[in-house]
Amino acid sequence: MELENKGVKGSQLKNMIIKRLYFNKAMSCAGLSDLFDKSIPSIAKAINELMHEGFVVEHGYAPSSGGRRPLMYSVKANAMYILAVALDQLTARIQLFDLQNSPVADMLTFELKLLNNPNALTILTNQINSYIKTSGVAKGKIAGIGIGMPGFINVTQGINYTYLDANGSLTAYLTEHTGITTYIDNDSSLIALAEQKFGIAKAQTEVMVINLGWGIGLGMIVNGKLFRGHTGFAGELSHIPLSEDGSLCECGKRGCLEAEASMLVVARKAIEGIQQGRITSLKHNTNDHSKLMGDALLDAANNGDQFAIELLSDAGYKIGKALAILIHIMNPAIIVLSGRGAKVAKILMAPIQQALHKYCIPRLSAGTELLVSELGFDAELIGAAVLVMENFDKTVKAKVAKAVA
């Protein structure tokens, strides 16, 4: 039993090293020793074993700081792979990444309506299995599946209370039907993680990340960690009420931010404008749905279409009004505009700032920096990969607990 326990603990340390090298890119034995509070010989032993097993490689020497330059180690990119899935209300994307977050197969995109679609989970599961088979990568080489999705999600139990009913744990269902350990989380939370770990807010401890998608989501990094609130559902920025008599939201309330300024709402307003004869480069076929118009509208705005810019500016002003409320409550150091809408963030910035000047106390707004994501639409996929690696050493920890018992 003692030898078995020592072996499991050794595996745990090695998994902790792989996880840290994934996030930090390269570290020395001394750096890992300080981080994990382990002796340098034990770290060196684990590193040597990982190199022998093909998980870690030498990365070269660190820049000179006056003394002997330490040898750095990094994770081997193709030692394992991560399957990332990004869902919104209408579309699914599947991408296989290596351990440096580089794509290793073509991304699969397909329509997947989540609302009132009893077949959505079966379709998603079949598409994941088909994608893995087509990729040619053995399931044993995939560290896990991470899935970002809209809705109220219990990450501990793996349940989405809004979409994809699995009659129990969605993660258990997907793990069973794919043969790969699966994790789920809210799309906006994963976008926030992506921005903090690999994006424009890297290593920041107080960040509000706005997911400008078909809805408007919020991921909150507080004290360096994802803030979920008492029941795990913190960050419902989209349902902040902007008016008493505004448009009816899907939640049943009137005047919600999402019902006034989301990309789907902007797309519907574009369709109404075209039907009313507004001058624009945008075209609409009665068979087209709002998603197609939304994608076209973003491109049209960036190409100078005045009607598209007008619609986005109106949405930006309303988003800014909601951000003023957020700033008053959270006093964040940084707000990042991310997700699909980051593509037109430069257009949104001016009306957002205008609204902040009008509705926010200057002393508070002056201390908050508004940034545009560099990850953009890829943020949710990167966040889904991050989700897998955040949980990478949990299986081994469970084995340790069982061995000790």
Side-chain angles (χ1 to χ4, degrees):
M1 176 62 71
E2 183 179 354
L3 289 175
E4 179 185 350
N5 189 20
K6 286 177 64 179
V8 172
K9 287 184 177 179
S11 296
Q12 183 189 16
L13 177 58
K14 289 192 286 187
N15 279 18
M16 290 166 61
I17 291 172
I18 291 173
K19 174 179 173 178
R20 186 45 48 196
L21 293 181
Y22 167 79
F23 287 116
N24 286 38
K25 300 301 184 184
M27 293 186 72
S28 66
C29 281
L32 289 165
S33 172
D34 290 340
L35 183 65
F36 297 135
D37 193 25
K38 301 285 185 180
S39 68
I40 290 181
S42 65
I43 294 292
K45 179 177 181 293
I47 287 285
N48 287 332
E49 289 177 1
L50 286 169
M51 291 178 66
H52 178 73
E53 294 163 4
F55 288 98
V56 169
V57 294
E58 292 182 354
H59 189 77
Y61 290 93
S64 177
S65 58
R68 184 177 179 182
R69 297 166 60 195
L71 182 60
M72 306 293 282
Y73 300 92
S74 64
V75 70
K76 188 177 180 181
N78 63 353
M80 290 183 300
Y81 302 96
I82 307 166
L83 191 70
V85 181
L87 305 179
D88 58 33
Q89 291 90 337
L90 303 172
T91 309
R93 291 174 291 153
I94 303 177
Q95 179 71 75
L96 192 66
F97 290 107
D98 64 19
L99 292 181
Q100 292 181 357
N101 289 335
S102 297
V104 294
D106 292 336
M107 181 171 66
L108 172 65
T109 302
F110 57 96
E111 291 188 11
L112 184 67
K113 184 181 177 183
L114 296 183
L115 185 64
N116 299 324
N117 183 2
N119 298 319
L121 181 54
T122 300
I123 294 170
L124 176 62
T125 305
N126 290 340
Q127 290 282 14
I128 289 174
N129 283 326
S130 176
Y131 182 89
I132 295 170
K133 184 177 180 180
T134 303
S135 74
V137 174
K139 287 186 177 182
K141 289 272 287 182
I142 299 176
I145 300 173
I147 307 180
M149 57 184 71
F152 292 110
I153 295 175
N154 182 322
V155 295
T156 303
Q157 298 179 15
I159 297 173
N160 188 332
Y161 296 108
T162 312
Y163 305 111
L164 298 173
D165 182 15
N167 292 319
S169 172
L170 181 57
T171 54
Y173 175 93
L174 289 166
T175 297
E176 178 184 353
H177 287 80
T178 63
I180 301 172
T181 303
T182 302
Y183 306 94
I184 67 170
D185 206 335
N186 178 266
D187 52 353
S188 298
S189 294
L190 292 189
I191 287 173
L193 277 178
E195 295 294 350
Q196 187 207 27
K197 299 296 185 181
F198 296 108
I200 198 166
K202 185 173 175 60
Q204 295 293 328
T205 58
E206 306 292 334
V207 187
M208 304 289 110
V209 180
I210 311 302
N211 174 18
L212 299 174
W214 298 127
I216 301 174
L218 169 65
M220 298 188 285
I221 303 295
V222 178
N223 293 329
K225 297 180 180 180
L226 197 62
F227 179 76
R228 299 187 184 278
H230 175 58
T231 57
F233 305 137
E236 283 300 320
L237 180 74
S238 58
H239 297 292
I240 284 181
L242 295 183
S243 64
E244 291 290 333
D245 56 354
S247 301
L248 182 65
C249 181
E250 287 185 356
C251 73
K253 312 294 184 183
R254 286 195 175 274
C256 292
L257 174 63
E258 183 160 314
E260 298 287 335
S262 70
M263 290 297 162
L264 270 184
V265 169
V266 174
R268 290 168 189 155
K269 289 181 178 180
I271 293 171
E272 292 171 2
I274 293 170
Q275 293 171 341
Q276 293 167 6
R278 289 295 303 265
I279 298 174
T280 175
S281 62
L282 292 167
K283 307 295 181 185
H284 176 61
N285 187 311
T286 54
N287 294 324
D288 293 343
H289 47 64
S290 298
K291 176 186 176 298
L292 293 175
M293 176 56 70
D295 291 334
L297 187 141
L298 300 182
D299 290 332
N302 281 330
N303 288 327
D305 186 288
Q306 291 302 301
F307 179 50
I309 292 172
E310 176 187 321
L311 291 173
L312 288 171
S313 295
D314 178 65
Y317 186 82
K318 292 172 181 175
I319 291 169
K321 188 175 181 180
L323 294 187
I325 298 172
L326 179 65
I327 290 172
H328 285 157
I329 295 172
M330 299 301 297
N331 186 26
I334 295 172
I335 294 178
V336 178
L337 302 181
S338 187
R340 180 188 296 270
K343 187 175 184 179
V344 292
K346 291 183 179 179
I347 296 171
L348 296 172
M349 287 285 270
I352 287 175
Q353 291 286 9
Q354 183 182 1
L356 290 180
H357 286 310
K358 182 174 181 179
Y359 295 108
C360 199
I361 296 172
R363 184 178 295 276
L364 287 174
S365 60
T368 300
E369 187 176 9
L370 192 60
L371 302 175
V372 177
S373 169
E374 296 173 352
L375 299 176
F377 196 31
D378 291 333
E380 187 180 350
L381 284 169
I382 298 297
V386 168
L387 178 64
V388 172
M389 296 309 293
E390 284 278 14
N391 289 278
F392 186 67
D393 51 354
K394 283 190 175 180
T395 302
V396 177
K397 285 183 179 179
K399 290 180 180 178
V400 171
K402 184 177 180 181
V404 171

PDB file of all heavy atoms in Angstrom, residues 1 18 24 31 65 105 166 182 187 242 253 259-260 264 272 298 308 310 319 355 358 382:
ATOM      1  N   MET A   1       0.832  -1.204   0.000  1.00  0.00           N
ATOM      2  CA  MET A   1       0.000   0.000   0.000  1.00  0.00           C
ATOM      3  C   MET A   1       0.873   1.263   0.000  1.00  0.00           C
ATOM      4  O   MET A   1       0.597   2.228  -0.679  1.00  0.00           O
ATOM      5  CB  MET A   1      -0.924  -0.002   1.225  1.00  0.00           C
ATOM      6  CG  MET A   1      -1.775   1.270   1.353  1.00  0.00           C
ATOM      7  SD  MET A   1      -2.895   1.516  -0.033  1.00  0.00           S
ATOM      8  CE  MET A   1      -4.077   0.202   0.275  1.00  0.00           C
ATOM      9  N   ILE A  18       3.102  19.254 -15.437  1.00  0.00           N
ATOM     10  CA  ILE A  18       2.567  19.403 -16.801  1.00  0.00           C
ATOM     11  C   ILE A  18       1.575  20.559 -16.853  1.00  0.00           C
ATOM     12  O   ILE A  18       1.618  21.401 -17.766  1.00  0.00           O
ATOM     13  CB  ILE A  18       1.888  18.094 -17.257  1.00  0.00           C
ATOM     14  CG1 ILE A  18       2.936  16.998 -17.468  1.00  0.00           C
ATOM     15  CG2 ILE A  18       1.098  18.314 -18.547  1.00  0.00           C
ATOM     16  CD1 ILE A  18       2.342  15.636 -17.751  1.00  0.00           C
ATOM     17  N   ASN A  24       2.503  28.310 -17.927  1.00  0.00           N
ATOM     18  CA  ASN A  24       3.657  29.205 -17.833  1.00  0.00           C
ATOM     19  C   ASN A  24       4.624  29.097 -18.998  1.00  0.00           C
ATOM     20  O   ASN A  24       5.626  29.816 -19.039  1.00  0.00           O
ATOM     21  CB  ASN A  24       4.423  28.954 -16.525  1.00  0.00           C
ATOM     22  CG  ASN A  24       3.699  29.500 -15.317  1.00  0.00           C
ATOM     23  OD1 ASN A  24       2.483  29.434 -15.246  1.00  0.00           O
ATOM     24  ND2 ASN A  24       4.438  30.034 -14.365  1.00  0.00           N
ATOM     25  N   GLY A  31      12.234  27.194 -10.029  1.00  0.00           N
ATOM     26  CA  GLY A  31      10.938  27.867 -10.055  1.00  0.00           C
ATOM     27  C   GLY A  31       9.809  26.933  -9.672  1.00  0.00           C
ATOM     28  O   GLY A  31       8.905  27.297  -8.904  1.00  0.00           O
ATOM     29  N   SER A  65      20.772  36.711 -15.236  1.00  0.00           N
ATOM     30  CA  SER A  65      20.443  37.713 -14.211  1.00  0.00           C
ATOM     31  C   SER A  65      21.638  37.955 -13.307  1.00  0.00           C
ATOM     32  O   SER A  65      21.510  38.426 -12.184  1.00  0.00           O
ATOM     33  CB  SER A  65      19.242  37.238 -13.380  1.00  0.00           C
ATOM     34  OG  SER A  65      19.527  35.990 -12.773  1.00  0.00           O
ATOM     35  N   ALA A 105      -6.018  20.095 -36.079  1.00  0.00           N
ATOM     36  CA  ALA A 105      -6.975  19.582 -37.060  1.00  0.00           C
ATOM     37  C   ALA A 105      -7.883  20.741 -37.446  1.00  0.00           C
ATOM     38  O   ALA A 105      -7.967  21.749 -36.728  1.00  0.00           O
ATOM     39  CB  ALA A 105      -7.794  18.429 -36.481  1.00  0.00           C
ATOM     40  N   ALA A 166     -29.714  16.243 -19.815  1.00  0.00           N
ATOM     41  CA  ALA A 166     -29.176  14.883 -19.863  1.00  0.00           C
ATOM     42  C   ALA A 166     -29.819  13.991 -18.802  1.00  0.00           C
ATOM     43  O   ALA A 166     -29.333  12.892 -18.541  1.00  0.00           O
ATOM     44  CB  ALA A 166     -27.664  14.908 -19.666  1.00  0.00           C
ATOM     45  N   THR A 182     -14.907  14.680 -19.558  1.00  0.00           N
ATOM     46  CA  THR A 182     -15.463  15.912 -20.101  1.00  0.00           C
ATOM     47  C   THR A 182     -15.785  16.893 -18.979  1.00  0.00           C
ATOM     48  O   THR A 182     -16.233  16.497 -17.897  1.00  0.00           O
ATOM     49  CB  THR A 182     -16.739  15.611 -20.914  1.00  0.00           C
ATOM     50  OG1 THR A 182     -16.419  14.700 -21.967  1.00  0.00           O
ATOM     51  CG2 THR A 182     -17.317  16.877 -21.512  1.00  0.00           C
ATOM     52  N   ASP A 187     -20.046  29.770 -20.972  1.00  0.00           N
ATOM     53  CA  ASP A 187     -19.177  30.317 -22.022  1.00  0.00           C
ATOM     54  C   ASP A 187     -18.474  31.596 -21.596  1.00  0.00           C
ATOM     55  O   ASP A 187     -17.275  31.777 -21.854  1.00  0.00           O
ATOM     56  CB  ASP A 187     -19.968  30.541 -23.321  1.00  0.00           C
ATOM     57  CG  ASP A 187     -21.248  31.348 -23.125  1.00  0.00           C
ATOM     58  OD1 ASP A 187     -21.616  31.634 -21.971  1.00  0.00           O
ATOM     59  OD2 ASP A 187     -21.892  31.684 -24.143  1.00  0.00           O
ATOM     60  N   LEU A 242     -32.437  47.874 -18.093  1.00  0.00           N
ATOM     61  CA  LEU A 242     -32.083  49.214 -18.549  1.00  0.00           C
ATOM     62  C   LEU A 242     -33.292  50.145 -18.572  1.00  0.00           C
ATOM     63  O   LEU A 242     -33.149  51.361 -18.554  1.00  0.00           O
ATOM     64  CB  LEU A 242     -31.465  49.151 -19.949  1.00  0.00           C
ATOM     65  CG  LEU A 242     -30.122  48.428 -20.081  1.00  0.00           C
ATOM     66  CD1 LEU A 242     -29.607  48.525 -21.504  1.00  0.00           C
ATOM     67  CD2 LEU A 242     -29.088  48.995 -19.119  1.00  0.00           C
ATOM     68  N   LYS A 253     -38.655  39.118 -18.403  1.00  0.00           N
ATOM     69  CA  LYS A 253     -38.639  40.495 -17.919  1.00  0.00           C
ATOM     70  C   LYS A 253     -38.545  41.464 -19.099  1.00  0.00           C
ATOM     71  O   LYS A 253     -38.200  41.083 -20.215  1.00  0.00           O
ATOM     72  CB  LYS A 253     -37.450  40.725 -16.975  1.00  0.00           C
ATOM     73  CG  LYS A 253     -37.277  39.669 -15.889  1.00  0.00           C
ATOM     74  CD  LYS A 253     -38.404  39.654 -14.893  1.00  0.00           C
ATOM     75  CE  LYS A 253     -38.139  38.654 -13.776  1.00  0.00           C
ATOM     76  NZ  LYS A 253     -39.262  38.574 -12.825  1.00  0.00           N
ATOM     77  N   ALA A 259     -32.070  42.056 -24.240  1.00  0.00           N
ATOM     78  CA  ALA A 259     -33.206  42.317 -25.122  1.00  0.00           C
ATOM     79  C   ALA A 259     -33.072  43.644 -25.857  1.00  0.00           C
ATOM     80  O   ALA A 259     -33.804  43.906 -26.818  1.00  0.00           O
ATOM     81  CB  ALA A 259     -34.506  42.305 -24.317  1.00  0.00           C
ATOM     82  N   GLU A 260     -32.124  44.469 -25.421  1.00  0.00           N
ATOM     83  CA  GLU A 260     -31.950  45.791 -26.022  1.00  0.00           C
ATOM     84  C   GLU A 260     -30.700  45.915 -26.882  1.00  0.00           C
ATOM     85  O   GLU A 260     -30.666  46.718 -27.819  1.00  0.00           O
ATOM     86  CB  GLU A 260     -31.881  46.854 -24.907  1.00  0.00           C
ATOM     87  CG  GLU A 260     -33.122  46.959 -24.050  1.00  0.00           C
ATOM     88  CD  GLU A 260     -34.276  47.627 -24.774  1.00  0.00           C
ATOM     89  OE1 GLU A 260     -34.019  48.400 -25.708  1.00  0.00           O
ATOM     90  OE2 GLU A 260     -35.440  47.373 -24.407  1.00  0.00           O
ATOM     91  N   LEU A 264     -27.943  39.405 -31.476  1.00  0.00           N
ATOM     92  CA  LEU A 264     -29.161  38.899 -32.128  1.00  0.00           C
ATOM     93  C   LEU A 264     -30.188  40.009 -32.292  1.00  0.00           C
ATOM     94  O   LEU A 264     -30.858  40.113 -33.326  1.00  0.00           O
ATOM     95  CB  LEU A 264     -29.755  37.753 -31.308  1.00  0.00           C
ATOM     96  CG  LEU A 264     -29.276  36.339 -31.640  1.00  0.00           C
ATOM     97  CD1 LEU A 264     -30.030  35.310 -30.793  1.00  0.00           C
ATOM     98  CD2 LEU A 264     -29.439  36.020 -33.115  1.00  0.00           C
ATOM     99  N   GLU A 272     -35.260  44.452 -39.930  1.00  0.00           N
ATOM    100  CA  GLU A 272     -36.404  45.366 -39.941  1.00  0.00           C
ATOM    101  C   GLU A 272     -36.080  46.624 -40.744  1.00  0.00           C
ATOM    102  O   GLU A 272     -36.917  47.116 -41.521  1.00  0.00           O
ATOM    103  CB  GLU A 272     -36.787  45.747 -38.509  1.00  0.00           C
ATOM    104  CG  GLU A 272     -37.357  44.603 -37.693  1.00  0.00           C
ATOM    105  CD  GLU A 272     -37.530  44.958 -36.224  1.00  0.00           C
ATOM    106  OE1 GLU A 272     -37.227  46.125 -35.862  1.00  0.00           O
ATOM    107  OE2 GLU A 272     -37.937  44.085 -35.435  1.00  0.00           O
ATOM    108  N   LEU A 298     -21.515  42.573 -38.872  1.00  0.00           N
ATOM    109  CA  LEU A 298     -20.196  42.886 -38.309  1.00  0.00           C
ATOM    110  C   LEU A 298     -19.220  43.257 -39.419  1.00  0.00           C
ATOM    111  O   LEU A 298     -18.463  44.229 -39.294  1.00  0.00           O
ATOM    112  CB  LEU A 298     -19.674  41.696 -37.512  1.00  0.00           C
ATOM    113  CG  LEU A 298     -20.508  41.235 -36.319  1.00  0.00           C
ATOM    114  CD1 LEU A 298     -19.824  40.066 -35.612  1.00  0.00           C
ATOM    115  CD2 LEU A 298     -20.754  42.367 -35.330  1.00  0.00           C
ATOM    116  N   ALA A 308     -25.164  49.889 -40.444  1.00  0.00           N
ATOM    117  CA  ALA A 308     -24.608  48.897 -39.513  1.00  0.00           C
ATOM    118  C   ALA A 308     -23.909  49.589 -38.349  1.00  0.00           C
ATOM    119  O   ALA A 308     -24.057  49.182 -37.183  1.00  0.00           O
ATOM    120  CB  ALA A 308     -23.641  47.970 -40.247  1.00  0.00           C
ATOM    121  N   GLU A 310     -24.552  52.573 -37.210  1.00  0.00           N
ATOM    122  CA  GLU A 310     -25.601  53.199 -36.398  1.00  0.00           C
ATOM    123  C   GLU A 310     -26.222  52.199 -35.417  1.00  0.00           C
ATOM    124  O   GLU A 310     -26.404  52.500 -34.237  1.00  0.00           O
ATOM    125  CB  GLU A 310     -26.684  53.750 -37.323  1.00  0.00           C
ATOM    126  CG  GLU A 310     -27.893  54.347 -36.622  1.00  0.00           C
ATOM    127  CD  GLU A 310     -28.986  54.725 -37.605  1.00  0.00           C
ATOM    128  OE1 GLU A 310     -28.663  55.230 -38.706  1.00  0.00           O
ATOM    129  OE2 GLU A 310     -30.171  54.495 -37.285  1.00  0.00           O
ATOM    130  N   ILE A 319     -24.757  49.128 -23.825  1.00  0.00           N
ATOM    131  CA  ILE A 319     -23.767  48.305 -23.127  1.00  0.00           C
ATOM    132  C   ILE A 319     -22.973  49.171 -22.143  1.00  0.00           C
ATOM    133  O   ILE A 319     -22.702  48.778 -21.007  1.00  0.00           O
ATOM    134  CB  ILE A 319     -22.830  47.617 -24.131  1.00  0.00           C
ATOM    135  CG1 ILE A 319     -23.603  46.560 -24.928  1.00  0.00           C
ATOM    136  CG2 ILE A 319     -21.635  46.972 -23.419  1.00  0.00           C
ATOM    137  CD1 ILE A 319     -22.845  46.010 -26.117  1.00  0.00           C
ATOM    138  N   ALA A 355     -21.401  56.682 -22.823  1.00  0.00           N
ATOM    139  CA  ALA A 355     -22.333  56.291 -21.771  1.00  0.00           C
ATOM    140  C   ALA A 355     -21.657  56.290 -20.402  1.00  0.00           C
ATOM    141  O   ALA A 355     -22.263  56.694 -19.398  1.00  0.00           O
ATOM    142  CB  ALA A 355     -22.906  54.907 -22.076  1.00  0.00           C
ATOM    143  N   LYS A 358     -21.512  59.693 -19.030  1.00  0.00           N
ATOM    144  CA  LYS A 358     -22.817  60.196 -18.600  1.00  0.00           C
ATOM    145  C   LYS A 358     -23.306  59.541 -17.319  1.00  0.00           C
ATOM    146  O   LYS A 358     -23.882  60.205 -16.454  1.00  0.00           O
ATOM    147  CB  LYS A 358     -23.848  59.975 -19.716  1.00  0.00           C
ATOM    148  CG  LYS A 358     -25.229  60.519 -19.385  1.00  0.00           C
ATOM    149  CD  LYS A 358     -26.180  60.422 -20.561  1.00  0.00           C
ATOM    150  CE  LYS A 358     -27.545  61.009 -20.208  1.00  0.00           C
ATOM    151  NZ  LYS A 358     -28.489  60.947 -21.361  1.00  0.00           N
ATOM    152  N   ILE A 382     -10.295  28.656 -26.571  1.00  0.00           N
ATOM    153  CA  ILE A 382      -9.106  28.634 -25.717  1.00  0.00           C
ATOM    154  C   ILE A 382      -9.517  28.400 -24.264  1.00  0.00           C
ATOM    155  O   ILE A 382      -8.884  27.627 -23.528  1.00  0.00           O
ATOM    156  CB  ILE A 382      -8.317  29.956 -25.839  1.00  0.00           C
ATOM    157  CG1 ILE A 382      -7.810  30.152 -27.265  1.00  0.00           C
ATOM    158  CG2 ILE A 382      -7.140  29.968 -24.851  1.00  0.00           C
ATOM    159  CD1 ILE A 382      -6.831  29.118 -27.733  1.00  0.00           C
TER     160      ILE A 382
END
